[in-house]
């Protein structure tokens, strides 16, 4: 086995999965704790629906793809049952956060809660055969499609009349979600949705000339010279590129794979911190100060998604530049994010690569990017 | 004149005021540009209502309190007219942001837009005698009082049923706003509002045992062991303490002044970064990782409000510890925030005190904390 494939497989199975199994399961009220200190101790018990869905997805995915380990299915069920019982309002929209017992704290303003719940129900349903989960996956997916053009609904504070912006996140996530739910959906709907997403991502949000991916565009697809319109999130664009590579593989579309690889390398070169190493979180396309005070921080998910994109790009195109960059990002990540003493990865580093928050999980970091990234790198490089 | 009084007066009149007069006035569409590069160049033209109100207030305040300079009144009028024409929705609520021309971009979800507009109309009305401004100050103030128990209204994403939190910001700002509008308001309303604010700030949000000020409490005044409930914003608590000192002076209440001084020193000692100097932005009372990724950054307003609180505390109590701390915060601030080359102060430093964003103004930093802080320090120390 390729040496990198072995490193990522071993870290996944011997470090990351056991870390979450040991520290995150709430056997009393169900669901998962995600606010975990450096050593895994729970420091807050609120339950964020993104992370409940993501962890349930991760364990069901491991069950489906790695090994039929009944403990993994059971761990997934812990989150699935909690989401079924507490996750939704009367209309089937997913709350953003709940307290430990499942009482809702924050309204369903964030459609990505629904996206990650749908992914979880789909993987768990396929793993267990539970019909209720399969039905919930489909109904939640349909609800997302209905809400997609006004995802925040009544909670939106934006007045769209004078600067009608549209965001990159939703078509990007839908392109992945659609593949996740493929066995449960109508074939034509799948093809149409994937085609629409690829078009949005690669022909609208991707600027073909600069090979940059924008986070926000005007509704007609043109650039907006505003804070939102100038915003670049290199890790986000790179993550989307490996979703595109998965679609390229499915379609055997070499041109799409090559373009996604070129965009990955371009965003990485643009986003790489030439002084301290690592990939910046946010940049302004014109070089102005971004609004995000955390712009120069180094985030775990950005680096994992980049490793996945580079591994897949190398596997699909054989471009040696992908392996050079993979080695560079690998070195940086394992030096700064990994915690050999207590396991798992830190989430947030400052620009210099020093630990900014000594946590392994919080409001946004759960059991998702680290295990998914490690699984994807392992599989992409296994036969290289 | 006291040497510090001279430094702050000279910086205010010879550096800060001219900087904003030179770079921020939009003579074409009215109002002010606030997104200014290091050298004052405009890098974005959106108009944030907080900052429109704050700059109009600053120039009218200088006119009322420092010198009857007609250019200052005219500069204030530029923002006042823009706010009158574009700032409000049909119900008299103030939008959060507008584009350069005044078209609304973000709904009136943020009641502090209304607070700073009311301050601006009051100062400008008193400076110019403009009855429309005086009327708008009063009607906006009344609207704030009506909205105070549900300030975000329909834009709130919080479900209050299971964790009914209340915030420190509004009673804190109201205690200052009430003094700002005093000449325009019914005397009994002023007394009642001030009394209620002092009670909330000093008997509810201040924990008398630890002398800590909490940002959020449960409705019954008890602590909430949650991210919101554990949050400490040292600069915010310290700013509130000089509002309390102003009320103490007005009432000749030595006990209130002494308590506000003690809280200032305690929050400063707690919030001071013993490794790199400067005051942290956010801390978790139990020492857990805060949710705010910007927690360790050093912000201009935190340091200016602290200088004001220390200067006033020294003037009112004579406690030498206040002057020791004043000198320490003064040294830090002028070394790291001031920009002798291009003028004004940087807004955002990283933990080490290095410039994080090379701007003099943006979405949240405008012509307010720097000039107000300098004016307040000058006046507090003038006769010391």
């Amino acid at each position: 086995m390729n040496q990198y494939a072995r490193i990522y497989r071993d870290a996944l199975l011997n470090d990351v999965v056991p870390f979450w199994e040991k520290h995150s399961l709430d056997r009393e009220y169900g669901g998962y704790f995600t606010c975990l200190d450096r050593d895994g101790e729970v420091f807050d018990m609120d339950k964020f629906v993104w992370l409940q869905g993501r962890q349930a997805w991760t364990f069901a995915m491991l069950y489906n793809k790695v090994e039929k380990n009944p403990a993994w299915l059971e761990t997934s069920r812990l989150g699935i049952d909690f989401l079924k019982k507490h996750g939704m309002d009367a209309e089937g929209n997913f709350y953003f956060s709940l307290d430990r017992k499942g009482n809702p704290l924050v309204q369903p303003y964030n459609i990505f809660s629904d996206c990650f719940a749908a992914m979880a129900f789909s993987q768990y349903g396929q793993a267990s055969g539970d019909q209720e989960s399969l039905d919930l996956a489909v109904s939640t997916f349909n609800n997302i499609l209905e809400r997609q053009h006004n995802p925040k609904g009544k909670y939106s504070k934006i007045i769209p009349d004078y600067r009608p912006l549209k965001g990159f996140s939703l078509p990007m996530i839908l392109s992945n979600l659609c593949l996740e739910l493929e066995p449960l959906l109508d074939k034509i709907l799948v093809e149409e949705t994937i085609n629409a997403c690829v078009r949005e991502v690669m022909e609208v949000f991707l600027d073909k000339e600069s090979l940059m991916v924008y986070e926000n565009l005007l509704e007609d697809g043109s650039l907006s010279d505003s804070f939102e319109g100038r915003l670049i999130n290199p890790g986000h664009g790179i993550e989307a590129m490996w979703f595109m590579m998965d679609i390229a593989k499915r379609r055997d579309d070499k041109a799409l794979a090559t373009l996604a690889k070129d965009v990955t390398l371009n965003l990485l070169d643009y986003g790489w911190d030439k002084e301290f190493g690592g990939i910046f979180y946010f940049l302004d396309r014109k070089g102005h100060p971004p609004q995000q005070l955390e712009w120069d921080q180094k985030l775990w998910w950005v680096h994992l998604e980049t490793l996945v994109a580079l591994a897949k790009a190398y596997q699909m195109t054989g471009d040696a530049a992908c392996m050079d960059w993979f080695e560079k990002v690998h070195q940086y990540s394992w030096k700064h994010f990994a915690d050999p003493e207590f396991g798992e990865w830190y989430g947030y580093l400052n620009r210099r690569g020093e630990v900014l928050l000594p946590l392994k999980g919080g409001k946004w970091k759960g059991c998702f990017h680290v295990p998914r990234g490690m699984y994807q790198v392992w599989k992409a490089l296994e036969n290289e």
Side-chain angles (χ1 to χ4, degrees), chain A:
Chain A
M1 186 186 282
N2 171 291
Q3 55 151 333
Y4 287 117
R6 189 186 312 273
I7 291 170
Y8 286 81
R9 183 200 62 185
D10 290 353
L12 173 68
L13 300 178
N14 303 331
D15 168 10
V16 175
V17 169
F19 183 93
W20 292 96
E21 286 178 307
K22 183 166 177 198
H23 300 296
S24 73
L25 310 184
D26 186 354
R27 297 278 185 210
E28 199 173 339
Y29 290 97
Y32 316 109
F33 301 118
T34 64
C35 297
L36 305 179
D37 265 346
R38 185 186 171 192
D39 62 0
E41 206 186 316
V42 177
F43 69 87
D44 193 276
M45 295 187 177
D46 280 358
K47 288 172 178 161
F48 303 97
V49 170
W50 277 37
L51 303 189
Q52 300 297 310
R54 285 173 153 193
Q55 182 159 351
W57 174 87
T58 297
F59 277 88
M61 182 279 288
L62 292 170
Y63 181 89
N64 287 330
K65 303 227 173 131
V66 177
E67 189 196 321
K68 296 279 171 288
N69 178 340
W72 290 349
L73 190 61
E74 172 60 21
T75 292
S76 177
R77 197 190 52 75
L78 195 66
I80 292 293
D81 286 352
F82 191 79
L83 284 174
K84 282 180 182 169
K85 205 187 280 183
H86 304 293
M88 284 163 278
D89 71 6
E91 283 77 45
N93 301 309
F94 282 83
Y95 293 112
F96 182 75
S97 70
L98 312 166
D99 68 13
R100 183 187 178 184
K101 295 180 181 175
N103 294 312
L105 296 174
V106 176
Q107 298 283 9
Y109 78 95
N110 187 305
I111 200 168
F112 300 101
S113 307
D114 305 74
C115 292
F116 302 124
M119 279 172 66
F121 286 126
S122 173
Q123 282 287 346
Y124 178 78
Q126 292 177 62
S128 65
D130 176 46
Q131 192 57 46
E132 189 187 355
S133 292
L134 294 167
D135 293 345
L136 274 167
V138 175
S139 60
T140 303
F141 182 78
N142 289 332
N143 191 26
I144 293 165
L145 291 186
E146 267 172 44
R147 286 170 63 192
Q148 69 177 311
H149 298 294
N150 184 18
K152 285 204 175 176
K154 63 180 173 176
Y155 303 106
S156 175
K157 297 176 298 199
I158 304 301
I159 299 167
D161 306 28
Y162 302 98
R163 188 182 293 160
L165 292 172
K166 60 178 182 177
F168 172 64
S169 304
L170 199 52
M172 168 204 167
I173 290 286
L174 273 179
S175 71
N176 178 252
L177 188 59
C178 213
L179 292 190
E180 280 284 331
L181 269 71
E182 186 171 1
L184 320 182
L185 299 176
D186 173 75
K187 280 192 199 333
I188 294 171
L189 176 68
V190 170
E191 289 307 320
E192 284 177 355
T193 309
I194 290 179
N195 289 343
C197 291
V198 172
R199 210 164 40 236
E200 277 297 284
V201 171
M202 300 306 270
E203 291 175 28
V204 181
F205 285 94
L206 171 65
D207 175 49
K208 285 263 171 68
E209 222 167 287
S210 62
L211 294 187
M212 300 297 288
V213 177
Y214 288 93
E215 288 298 307
N216 299 287
L217 290 175
L218 290 166
E219 289 254 307
D220 67 2
S222 64
L223 291 178
S224 164
D225 189 3
S226 61
F227 283 106
E228 297 75 17
R230 292 189 301 267
L231 188 67
I232 303 285
N233 180 331
H236 208 211
I238 290 171
E239 182 179 4
M241 289 307 111
W242 77 252
F243 294 172
M244 294 299 113
M245 292 178 210
D246 280 359
I247 293 170
K249 178 165 253 173
R250 183 173 174 281
R251 288 183 180 173
D252 196 22
D253 182 342
K254 288 203 173 48
L256 180 59
T258 301
L259 181 56
K261 179 264 292 176
D262 290 341
V263 175
T264 298
L265 294 176
N266 184 62
L267 284 172
L268 186 48
D269 185 60
Y270 176 74
W272 188 257
D273 181 350
K274 277 80 182 172
E275 193 172 351
F276 294 105
I279 304 159
F280 287 120
Y281 190 9
F282 292 110
L283 293 164
D284 179 292
R285 188 61 190 99
K286 293 191 158 184
H288 297 313
Q291 276 182 344
Q292 291 78 5
L293 298 185
E294 64 274 29
W295 74 274
D296 70 348
Q297 296 176 9
K298 311 294 163 64
L299 268 68
W300 86 107
W301 68 264
V302 169
H303 294 75
L304 281 153
E305 299 308 328
T306 300
L307 288 162
V308 172
L310 290 167
K312 285 184 189 269
Y314 180 71
Q315 193 228 345
M316 293 180 77
T317 70
D319 186 337
C322 297
M323 197 34 71
D324 294 344
W325 263 115
F326 182 91
E327 281 164 12
K328 190 167 166 176
V329 179
H330 172 90
Q331 289 300 332
Y332 179 89
S333 299
W334 287 87
K335 179 170 173 194
H336 295 281
F337 287 108
D339 178 12
E341 196 174 342
F342 291 99
E344 246 274 349
W345 283 26
Y346 294 111
Y348 304 90
L349 312 177
N350 67 18
R351 181 168 178 185
R352 289 171 185 255
E354 299 158 342
V355 174
L356 177 77
L357 293 170
L359 57 74
K360 297 295 165 52
K363 179 177 178 181
W364 301 104
K365 183 177 189 288
C367 177
F368 183 66
H369 286 285
V370 179
R372 184 180 75 168
M374 288 180 172
Y375 171 78
Q376 290 285 351
V377 171
W378 161 25
K379 289 294 158 182
L381 296 183
E382 193 166 40
N383 301 314
E384 292 303 315

